[in-house]
Amino acid sequence: MNPATTTTDPLLAYREEFPGLDQQLHFASHTLGAMPGGVPAMLARYAEEWRTHGIRAWEHGWFASPTATGDVLGSLFHAEPGSVSMHENLTSAEAIALSCVDFTAPRNRLVCTAEDFPSVLYLYEGLVRRGAEIVRVPARQGRTIDEADVVAAIDERTAVVAISHVLFRTSQVLDLAPIARRAREAGALTLIDAYQSVGSVPVDVRALDLDMLAGGSVKWLCGGPGAGYLYVDPRLAPRLRPALTGWLAHERPFEFDTSPTRLDPGPRRFWNGTPAVPAFAAARVGYEILARAGVAAIRDKSLRQTGRMLALADEYGLPVGSPREAARRGGTVALDVPNADRVCAALLAREVLLDHRPSVGLRLAPHFYTRDDEVDEVMKRVRDEVRR
Ligand SMILES: Cc1ncc(COP(=O)(O)O)c(C=O)c1O
């Protein structure tokens, strides 16, 4: 196979915006996306603003930057401007969202799945102290979550349905439509962990009529650490009162008013303390590239390249631990090879970027900047390392 060109693969035009890619085989965008070349300049600009404007830097864009950044990000999942607030990570974004929920019986259940990311499962555990009853929908064979099981777990006792769109371990895509529909019918809120989907698999918060969605930027969004986010449906937001709050969620924070808080009507309602301005500045570079590339095109390419990886896995006799059907397949292919930890370490030592997770084996993800010849090369390297 000849290396793809920008004629046969237009998304490769964005490759030059990621200067590190030629030094490695980068198959780790499900865990740490490549760094855009524009990040150092963005961070230098932030430092320059700090140096030259001092305290006035807040009015020179710092204060507005989290919302402006959230708007660029929100465009990737069809969120209305002003409906995304930026946070440190997904876990804190979900904590803020859940601090708005009343877990008084009889409507005190949180429905999640056994395959959600451990960080949020730990967070849900903590809600038991606030009266929540956690309903964890178990996986069927092969760690598959059946949407019908989630739908069946939702009823009038459900306060919130908090599930992943794409499961972190197997990269299974969950069909959110029937789940969101059932939640609405039962009067429950939805809170979607979209960390493994936004930037890789299309998400439309409006078409799905989702209440809340949280994610982070380290992976598919190529945004680096420190830039989690929370979307809240603007029709719902004014009715939510986060208990996890702070001075910058106040309508007029600089009045330093100590009487009961008056929450901001916009996205600042979900802020708390001082925002992580440099992390959001760095993350914005990746969001802008993804917005230009287009998530639909990214998804088409991902399906083509993961399909190619599955075919090569079959040809080389490598067991597959992730779904095969296109509609069920996220951006990552899991190869459940023996001694995945050792194979992974050996490949990492040779500049192949990937990772592994217990019970699914190696995880490898092409992204919009991946060439087809790299897909072929990484699969050969895995095959050879497994044989060794
Ligand atoms: C699906 C999913 N949710 C949550 C997280 C953790 O997010 P954070 O560390 O930003 O809280 C991850 C990270 O790997 C993930 O894959």
PDB file of all heavy atoms in Angstrom, residues 90-91 94 112-126 136 143 164 167-169 193 196 357-358 363:
ATOM      1  N   LEU A  90     -12.829  16.058  33.674  1.00  0.00           N
ATOM      2  CA  LEU A  90     -14.198  15.538  33.571  1.00  0.00           C
ATOM      3  C   LEU A  90     -14.787  15.256  34.954  1.00  0.00           C
ATOM      4  O   LEU A  90     -15.957  15.537  35.211  1.00  0.00           O
ATOM      5  CB  LEU A  90     -14.219  14.260  32.717  1.00  0.00           C
ATOM      6  CG  LEU A  90     -15.592  13.584  32.654  1.00  0.00           C
ATOM      7  CD1 LEU A  90     -15.901  13.104  31.248  1.00  0.00           C
ATOM      8  CD2 LEU A  90     -15.728  12.436  33.644  1.00  0.00           C
ATOM      9  N   THR A  91     -13.974  14.704  35.834  1.00  0.00           N
ATOM     10  CA  THR A  91     -14.493  14.318  37.156  1.00  0.00           C
ATOM     11  C   THR A  91     -15.047  15.543  37.885  1.00  0.00           C
ATOM     12  O   THR A  91     -16.144  15.483  38.459  1.00  0.00           O
ATOM     13  CB  THR A  91     -13.385  13.629  37.979  1.00  0.00           C
ATOM     14  OG1 THR A  91     -12.808  12.585  37.183  1.00  0.00           O
ATOM     15  CG2 THR A  91     -13.930  13.040  39.263  1.00  0.00           C
ATOM     16  N   GLU A  94     -18.331  16.686  36.230  1.00  0.00           N
ATOM     17  CA  GLU A  94     -19.483  15.857  36.641  1.00  0.00           C
ATOM     18  C   GLU A  94     -19.870  16.132  38.094  1.00  0.00           C
ATOM     19  O   GLU A  94     -21.051  16.113  38.443  1.00  0.00           O
ATOM     20  CB  GLU A  94     -19.171  14.364  36.457  1.00  0.00           C
ATOM     21  CG  GLU A  94     -19.277  13.921  35.015  1.00  0.00           C
ATOM     22  CD  GLU A  94     -19.813  12.492  34.850  1.00  0.00           C
ATOM     23  OE1 GLU A  94     -20.167  11.846  35.865  1.00  0.00           O
ATOM     24  OE2 GLU A  94     -19.878  12.034  33.699  1.00  0.00           O
ATOM     25  N   CYS A 112     -26.074   4.140  36.136  1.00  0.00           N
ATOM     26  CA  CYS A 112     -24.822   4.186  35.367  1.00  0.00           C
ATOM     27  C   CYS A 112     -24.554   2.771  34.858  1.00  0.00           C
ATOM     28  O   CYS A 112     -25.435   1.919  34.930  1.00  0.00           O
ATOM     29  CB  CYS A 112     -23.681   4.701  36.249  1.00  0.00           C
ATOM     30  SG  CYS A 112     -23.372   3.697  37.715  1.00  0.00           S
ATOM     31  N   THR A 113     -23.372   2.523  34.313  1.00  0.00           N
ATOM     32  CA  THR A 113     -23.062   1.152  33.886  1.00  0.00           C
ATOM     33  C   THR A 113     -21.763   0.709  34.557  1.00  0.00           C
ATOM     34  O   THR A 113     -20.943   1.534  34.975  1.00  0.00           O
ATOM     35  CB  THR A 113     -22.893   1.019  32.356  1.00  0.00           C
ATOM     36  OG1 THR A 113     -21.543   1.358  32.015  1.00  0.00           O
ATOM     37  CG2 THR A 113     -23.867   1.873  31.573  1.00  0.00           C
ATOM     38  N   ALA A 114     -21.593  -0.611  34.623  1.00  0.00           N
ATOM     39  CA  ALA A 114     -20.393  -1.179  35.244  1.00  0.00           C
ATOM     40  C   ALA A 114     -19.149  -0.886  34.411  1.00  0.00           C
ATOM     41  O   ALA A 114     -18.032  -1.069  34.877  1.00  0.00           O
ATOM     42  CB  ALA A 114     -20.572  -2.684  35.403  1.00  0.00           C
ATOM     43  N   GLU A 115     -19.348  -0.425  33.178  1.00  0.00           N
ATOM     44  CA  GLU A 115     -18.216  -0.169  32.283  1.00  0.00           C
ATOM     45  C   GLU A 115     -17.854   1.314  32.188  1.00  0.00           C
ATOM     46  O   GLU A 115     -17.050   1.699  31.356  1.00  0.00           O
ATOM     47  CB  GLU A 115     -18.521  -0.719  30.879  1.00  0.00           C
ATOM     48  CG  GLU A 115     -18.646  -2.225  30.840  1.00  0.00           C
ATOM     49  CD  GLU A 115     -17.352  -2.943  31.250  1.00  0.00           C
ATOM     50  OE1 GLU A 115     -16.277  -2.556  30.773  1.00  0.00           O
ATOM     51  OE2 GLU A 115     -17.424  -3.868  32.071  1.00  0.00           O
ATOM     52  N   ASP A 116     -18.482   2.139  33.031  1.00  0.00           N
ATOM     53  CA  ASP A 116     -18.110   3.555  33.021  1.00  0.00           C
ATOM     54  C   ASP A 116     -16.711   3.716  33.627  1.00  0.00           C
ATOM     55  O   ASP A 116     -16.195   2.821  34.295  1.00  0.00           O
ATOM     56  CB  ASP A 116     -19.162   4.382  33.791  1.00  0.00           C
ATOM     57  CG  ASP A 116     -20.472   4.440  33.023  1.00  0.00           C
ATOM     58  OD1 ASP A 116     -20.421   4.525  31.787  1.00  0.00           O
ATOM     59  OD2 ASP A 116     -21.542   4.356  33.659  1.00  0.00           O
ATOM     60  N   PHE A 117     -16.119   4.877  33.401  1.00  0.00           N
ATOM     61  CA  PHE A 117     -14.741   5.088  33.850  1.00  0.00           C
ATOM     62  C   PHE A 117     -14.683   5.091  35.387  1.00  0.00           C
ATOM     63  O   PHE A 117     -15.537   5.694  36.039  1.00  0.00           O
ATOM     64  CB  PHE A 117     -14.214   6.414  33.290  1.00  0.00           C
ATOM     65  CG  PHE A 117     -12.726   6.543  33.421  1.00  0.00           C
ATOM     66  CD1 PHE A 117     -11.881   5.868  32.563  1.00  0.00           C
ATOM     67  CD2 PHE A 117     -12.175   7.297  34.431  1.00  0.00           C
ATOM     68  CE1 PHE A 117     -10.502   5.956  32.691  1.00  0.00           C
ATOM     69  CE2 PHE A 117     -10.796   7.400  34.576  1.00  0.00           C
ATOM     70  CZ  PHE A 117      -9.960   6.733  33.699  1.00  0.00           C
ATOM     71  N   PRO A 118     -13.684   4.417  35.971  1.00  0.00           N
ATOM     72  CA  PRO A 118     -13.638   4.319  37.446  1.00  0.00           C
ATOM     73  C   PRO A 118     -13.751   5.649  38.165  1.00  0.00           C
ATOM     74  O   PRO A 118     -14.409   5.736  39.205  1.00  0.00           O
ATOM     75  CB  PRO A 118     -12.272   3.661  37.709  1.00  0.00           C
ATOM     76  CG  PRO A 118     -11.982   2.883  36.471  1.00  0.00           C
ATOM     77  CD  PRO A 118     -12.611   3.636  35.327  1.00  0.00           C
ATOM     78  N   SER A 119     -13.162   6.702  37.627  1.00  0.00           N
ATOM     79  CA  SER A 119     -13.203   7.989  38.326  1.00  0.00           C
ATOM     80  C   SER A 119     -14.636   8.423  38.610  1.00  0.00           C
ATOM     81  O   SER A 119     -14.953   8.874  39.719  1.00  0.00           O
ATOM     82  CB  SER A 119     -12.504   9.049  37.469  1.00  0.00           C
ATOM     83  OG  SER A 119     -12.236  10.206  38.207  1.00  0.00           O
ATOM     84  N   VAL A 120     -15.528   8.263  37.619  1.00  0.00           N
ATOM     85  CA  VAL A 120     -16.907   8.691  37.850  1.00  0.00           C
ATOM     86  C   VAL A 120     -17.646   7.680  38.721  1.00  0.00           C
ATOM     87  O   VAL A 120     -18.508   8.058  39.518  1.00  0.00           O
ATOM     88  CB  VAL A 120     -17.670   9.001  36.535  1.00  0.00           C
ATOM     89  CG1 VAL A 120     -17.086  10.223  35.859  1.00  0.00           C
ATOM     90  CG2 VAL A 120     -17.728   7.824  35.584  1.00  0.00           C
ATOM     91  N   LEU A 121     -17.283   6.406  38.624  1.00  0.00           N
ATOM     92  CA  LEU A 121     -17.930   5.422  39.506  1.00  0.00           C
ATOM     93  C   LEU A 121     -17.593   5.737  40.969  1.00  0.00           C
ATOM     94  O   LEU A 121     -18.443   5.626  41.848  1.00  0.00           O
ATOM     95  CB  LEU A 121     -17.506   3.995  39.141  1.00  0.00           C
ATOM     96  CG  LEU A 121     -17.989   3.496  37.774  1.00  0.00           C
ATOM     97  CD1 LEU A 121     -17.475   2.089  37.482  1.00  0.00           C
ATOM     98  CD2 LEU A 121     -19.519   3.512  37.685  1.00  0.00           C
ATOM     99  N   TYR A 122     -16.361   6.180  41.216  1.00  0.00           N
ATOM    100  CA  TYR A 122     -15.985   6.558  42.596  1.00  0.00           C
ATOM    101  C   TYR A 122     -16.789   7.782  43.040  1.00  0.00           C
ATOM    102  O   TYR A 122     -17.220   7.884  44.184  1.00  0.00           O
ATOM    103  CB  TYR A 122     -14.484   6.885  42.698  1.00  0.00           C
ATOM    104  CG  TYR A 122     -13.537   5.806  42.206  1.00  0.00           C
ATOM    105  CD1 TYR A 122     -12.260   6.134  41.735  1.00  0.00           C
ATOM    106  CD2 TYR A 122     -13.890   4.457  42.204  1.00  0.00           C
ATOM    107  CE1 TYR A 122     -11.380   5.163  41.274  1.00  0.00           C
ATOM    108  CE2 TYR A 122     -13.014   3.488  41.737  1.00  0.00           C
ATOM    109  CZ  TYR A 122     -11.763   3.846  41.266  1.00  0.00           C
ATOM    110  OH  TYR A 122     -10.898   2.903  40.796  1.00  0.00           O
ATOM    111  N   LEU A 123     -16.951   8.709  42.104  1.00  0.00           N
ATOM    112  CA  LEU A 123     -17.722   9.925  42.403  1.00  0.00           C
ATOM    113  C   LEU A 123     -19.164   9.546  42.776  1.00  0.00           C
ATOM    114  O   LEU A 123     -19.730  10.070  43.747  1.00  0.00           O
ATOM    115  CB  LEU A 123     -17.685  10.819  41.167  1.00  0.00           C
ATOM    116  CG  LEU A 123     -18.377  12.154  41.185  1.00  0.00           C
ATOM    117  CD1 LEU A 123     -17.663  13.111  42.137  1.00  0.00           C
ATOM    118  CD2 LEU A 123     -18.367  12.770  39.777  1.00  0.00           C
ATOM    119  N   TYR A 124     -19.762   8.625  42.010  1.00  0.00           N
ATOM    120  CA  TYR A 124     -21.148   8.206  42.268  1.00  0.00           C
ATOM    121  C   TYR A 124     -21.250   7.527  43.642  1.00  0.00           C
ATOM    122  O   TYR A 124     -22.216   7.722  44.364  1.00  0.00           O
ATOM    123  CB  TYR A 124     -21.669   7.263  41.172  1.00  0.00           C
ATOM    124  CG  TYR A 124     -21.541   7.803  39.761  1.00  0.00           C
ATOM    125  CD1 TYR A 124     -21.498   6.952  38.664  1.00  0.00           C
ATOM    126  CD2 TYR A 124     -21.453   9.182  39.528  1.00  0.00           C
ATOM    127  CE1 TYR A 124     -21.366   7.449  37.365  1.00  0.00           C
ATOM    128  CE2 TYR A 124     -21.311   9.684  38.240  1.00  0.00           C
ATOM    129  CZ  TYR A 124     -21.260   8.816  37.159  1.00  0.00           C
ATOM    130  OH  TYR A 124     -21.115   9.301  35.889  1.00  0.00           O
ATOM    131  N   GLU A 125     -20.211   6.737  43.983  1.00  0.00           N
ATOM    132  CA  GLU A 125     -20.177   6.086  45.296  1.00  0.00           C
ATOM    133  C   GLU A 125     -20.335   7.111  46.414  1.00  0.00           C
ATOM    134  O   GLU A 125     -21.047   6.895  47.385  1.00  0.00           O
ATOM    135  CB  GLU A 125     -18.792   5.470  45.469  1.00  0.00           C
ATOM    136  CG  GLU A 125     -18.735   3.967  45.567  1.00  0.00           C
ATOM    137  CD  GLU A 125     -17.261   3.560  45.644  1.00  0.00           C
ATOM    138  OE1 GLU A 125     -16.629   3.750  46.708  1.00  0.00           O
ATOM    139  OE2 GLU A 125     -16.753   3.094  44.613  1.00  0.00           O
ATOM    140  N   GLY A 126     -19.661   8.243  46.240  1.00  0.00           N
ATOM    141  CA  GLY A 126     -19.707   9.309  47.247  1.00  0.00           C
ATOM    142  C   GLY A 126     -21.094   9.909  47.397  1.00  0.00           C
ATOM    143  O   GLY A 126     -21.433  10.464  48.447  1.00  0.00           O
ATOM    144  N   ARG A 136     -26.036   0.152  38.972  1.00  0.00           N
ATOM    145  CA  ARG A 136     -24.985  -0.083  37.954  1.00  0.00           C
ATOM    146  C   ARG A 136     -25.443  -1.165  36.997  1.00  0.00           C
ATOM    147  O   ARG A 136     -25.557  -2.325  37.378  1.00  0.00           O
ATOM    148  CB  ARG A 136     -23.724  -0.608  38.627  1.00  0.00           C
ATOM    149  CG  ARG A 136     -22.702   0.412  38.922  1.00  0.00           C
ATOM    150  CD  ARG A 136     -21.384  -0.287  39.214  1.00  0.00           C
ATOM    151  NE  ARG A 136     -20.607   0.522  40.131  1.00  0.00           N
ATOM    152  CZ  ARG A 136     -19.355   0.276  40.452  1.00  0.00           C
ATOM    153  NH1 ARG A 136     -18.727  -0.780  39.961  1.00  0.00           N
ATOM    154  NH2 ARG A 136     -18.721   1.057  41.278  1.00  0.00           N
ATOM    155  N   ARG A 143     -17.914  -7.724  27.869  1.00  0.00           N
ATOM    156  CA  ARG A 143     -17.987  -6.359  28.426  1.00  0.00           C
ATOM    157  C   ARG A 143     -18.896  -5.442  27.615  1.00  0.00           C
ATOM    158  O   ARG A 143     -18.701  -4.231  27.571  1.00  0.00           O
ATOM    159  CB  ARG A 143     -16.582  -5.745  28.518  1.00  0.00           C
ATOM    160  CG  ARG A 143     -15.715  -6.424  29.563  1.00  0.00           C
ATOM    161  CD  ARG A 143     -14.432  -5.661  29.758  1.00  0.00           C
ATOM    162  NE  ARG A 143     -13.711  -6.146  30.934  1.00  0.00           N
ATOM    163  CZ  ARG A 143     -13.890  -5.693  32.162  1.00  0.00           C
ATOM    164  NH1 ARG A 143     -14.753  -4.755  32.419  1.00  0.00           N
ATOM    165  NH2 ARG A 143     -13.200  -6.192  33.168  1.00  0.00           N
ATOM    166  N   SER A 164     -21.587   6.629  29.952  1.00  0.00           N
ATOM    167  CA  SER A 164     -20.621   7.013  28.910  1.00  0.00           C
ATOM    168  C   SER A 164     -21.264   6.863  27.546  1.00  0.00           C
ATOM    169  O   SER A 164     -22.069   5.956  27.332  1.00  0.00           O
ATOM    170  CB  SER A 164     -19.408   6.083  28.918  1.00  0.00           C
ATOM    171  OG  SER A 164     -18.854   5.988  30.186  1.00  0.00           O
ATOM    172  N   LEU A 167     -17.455   3.620  25.627  1.00  0.00           N
ATOM    173  CA  LEU A 167     -16.828   3.018  26.807  1.00  0.00           C
ATOM    174  C   LEU A 167     -15.301   3.058  26.679  1.00  0.00           C
ATOM    175  O   LEU A 167     -14.753   2.783  25.610  1.00  0.00           O
ATOM    176  CB  LEU A 167     -17.291   1.571  26.977  1.00  0.00           C
ATOM    177  CG  LEU A 167     -18.811   1.378  27.092  1.00  0.00           C
ATOM    178  CD1 LEU A 167     -19.161  -0.112  27.215  1.00  0.00           C
ATOM    179  CD2 LEU A 167     -19.370   2.151  28.284  1.00  0.00           C
ATOM    180  N   PHE A 168     -14.638   3.410  27.781  1.00  0.00           N
ATOM    181  CA  PHE A 168     -13.183   3.643  27.703  1.00  0.00           C
ATOM    182  C   PHE A 168     -12.401   2.378  27.411  1.00  0.00           C
ATOM    183  O   PHE A 168     -11.370   2.417  26.760  1.00  0.00           O
ATOM    184  CB  PHE A 168     -12.674   4.296  29.002  1.00  0.00           C
ATOM    185  CG  PHE A 168     -12.436   3.332  30.144  1.00  0.00           C
ATOM    186  CD1 PHE A 168     -11.149   2.900  30.440  1.00  0.00           C
ATOM    187  CD2 PHE A 168     -13.481   2.859  30.901  1.00  0.00           C
ATOM    188  CE1 PHE A 168     -10.911   2.020  31.498  1.00  0.00           C
ATOM    189  CE2 PHE A 168     -13.261   1.982  31.955  1.00  0.00           C
ATOM    190  CZ  PHE A 168     -11.980   1.558  32.248  1.00  0.00           C
ATOM    191  N   ARG A 169     -12.898   1.231  27.902  1.00  0.00           N
ATOM    192  CA  ARG A 169     -12.092   0.011  27.791  1.00  0.00           C
ATOM    193  C   ARG A 169     -12.224  -0.621  26.408  1.00  0.00           C
ATOM    194  O   ARG A 169     -11.245  -0.898  25.732  1.00  0.00           O
ATOM    195  CB  ARG A 169     -12.548  -0.969  28.868  1.00  0.00           C
ATOM    196  CG  ARG A 169     -11.421  -1.786  29.463  1.00  0.00           C
ATOM    197  CD  ARG A 169     -11.937  -2.835  30.413  1.00  0.00           C
ATOM    198  NE  ARG A 169     -12.848  -2.344  31.417  1.00  0.00           N
ATOM    199  CZ  ARG A 169     -12.529  -2.136  32.691  1.00  0.00           C
ATOM    200  NH1 ARG A 169     -11.310  -2.367  33.114  1.00  0.00           N
ATOM    201  NH2 ARG A 169     -13.434  -1.706  33.554  1.00  0.00           N
ATOM    202  N   ASP A 193     -21.035  11.093  29.848  1.00  0.00           N
ATOM    203  CA  ASP A 193     -19.578  11.167  29.812  1.00  0.00           C
ATOM    204  C   ASP A 193     -19.162  10.968  28.353  1.00  0.00           C
ATOM    205  O   ASP A 193     -19.214   9.853  27.827  1.00  0.00           O
ATOM    206  CB  ASP A 193     -18.982  10.081  30.717  1.00  0.00           C
ATOM    207  CG  ASP A 193     -17.453   9.984  30.591  1.00  0.00           C
ATOM    208  OD1 ASP A 193     -16.887  10.566  29.650  1.00  0.00           O
ATOM    209  OD2 ASP A 193     -16.842   9.306  31.439  1.00  0.00           O
ATOM    210  N   GLN A 196     -14.724   9.905  25.519  1.00  0.00           N
ATOM    211  CA  GLN A 196     -14.190   9.072  24.443  1.00  0.00           C
ATOM    212  C   GLN A 196     -14.938   9.253  23.124  1.00  0.00           C
ATOM    213  O   GLN A 196     -14.647   8.537  22.166  1.00  0.00           O
ATOM    214  CB  GLN A 196     -14.205   7.593  24.864  1.00  0.00           C
ATOM    215  CG  GLN A 196     -13.205   7.247  25.959  1.00  0.00           C
ATOM    216  CD  GLN A 196     -11.747   7.301  25.491  1.00  0.00           C
ATOM    217  OE1 GLN A 196     -11.456   7.434  24.300  1.00  0.00           O
ATOM    218  NE2 GLN A 196     -10.819   7.204  26.429  1.00  0.00           N
ATOM    219  N   ARG A 357      -5.008  -2.014  28.766  1.00  0.00           N
ATOM    220  CA  ARG A 357      -5.909  -1.995  29.906  1.00  0.00           C
ATOM    221  C   ARG A 357      -6.245  -3.438  30.283  1.00  0.00           C
ATOM    222  O   ARG A 357      -6.382  -4.293  29.385  1.00  0.00           O
ATOM    223  CB  ARG A 357      -7.222  -1.270  29.565  1.00  0.00           C
ATOM    224  CG  ARG A 357      -7.086   0.238  29.412  1.00  0.00           C
ATOM    225  CD  ARG A 357      -6.820   0.944  30.732  1.00  0.00           C
ATOM    226  NE  ARG A 357      -6.591   2.383  30.599  1.00  0.00           N
ATOM    227  CZ  ARG A 357      -5.398   2.968  30.454  1.00  0.00           C
ATOM    228  NH1 ARG A 357      -4.306   2.239  30.407  1.00  0.00           N
ATOM    229  NH2 ARG A 357      -5.294   4.275  30.379  1.00  0.00           N
ATOM    230  N   PRO A 358      -6.364  -3.697  31.598  1.00  0.00           N
ATOM    231  CA  PRO A 358      -6.679  -5.059  32.023  1.00  0.00           C
ATOM    232  C   PRO A 358      -7.930  -5.582  31.313  1.00  0.00           C
ATOM    233  O   PRO A 358      -8.887  -4.830  31.125  1.00  0.00           O
ATOM    234  CB  PRO A 358      -6.950  -4.921  33.537  1.00  0.00           C
ATOM    235  CG  PRO A 358      -6.361  -3.615  33.931  1.00  0.00           C
ATOM    236  CD  PRO A 358      -6.298  -2.742  32.717  1.00  0.00           C
ATOM    237  N   ARG A 363      -4.545  -1.155  23.510  1.00  0.00           N
ATOM    238  CA  ARG A 363      -5.493  -0.218  22.882  1.00  0.00           C
ATOM    239  C   ARG A 363      -4.710   0.638  21.878  1.00  0.00           C
ATOM    240  O   ARG A 363      -3.695   1.242  22.239  1.00  0.00           O
ATOM    241  CB  ARG A 363      -6.148   0.688  23.930  1.00  0.00           C
ATOM    242  CG  ARG A 363      -7.021  -0.038  24.931  1.00  0.00           C
ATOM    243  CD  ARG A 363      -7.858   0.935  25.764  1.00  0.00           C
ATOM    244  NE  ARG A 363      -7.054   2.001  26.358  1.00  0.00           N
ATOM    245  CZ  ARG A 363      -7.565   3.068  26.976  1.00  0.00           C
ATOM    246  NH1 ARG A 363      -8.878   3.215  27.071  1.00  0.00           N
ATOM    247  NH2 ARG A 363      -6.778   3.984  27.502  1.00  0.00           N
TER     248      ARG A 363
END
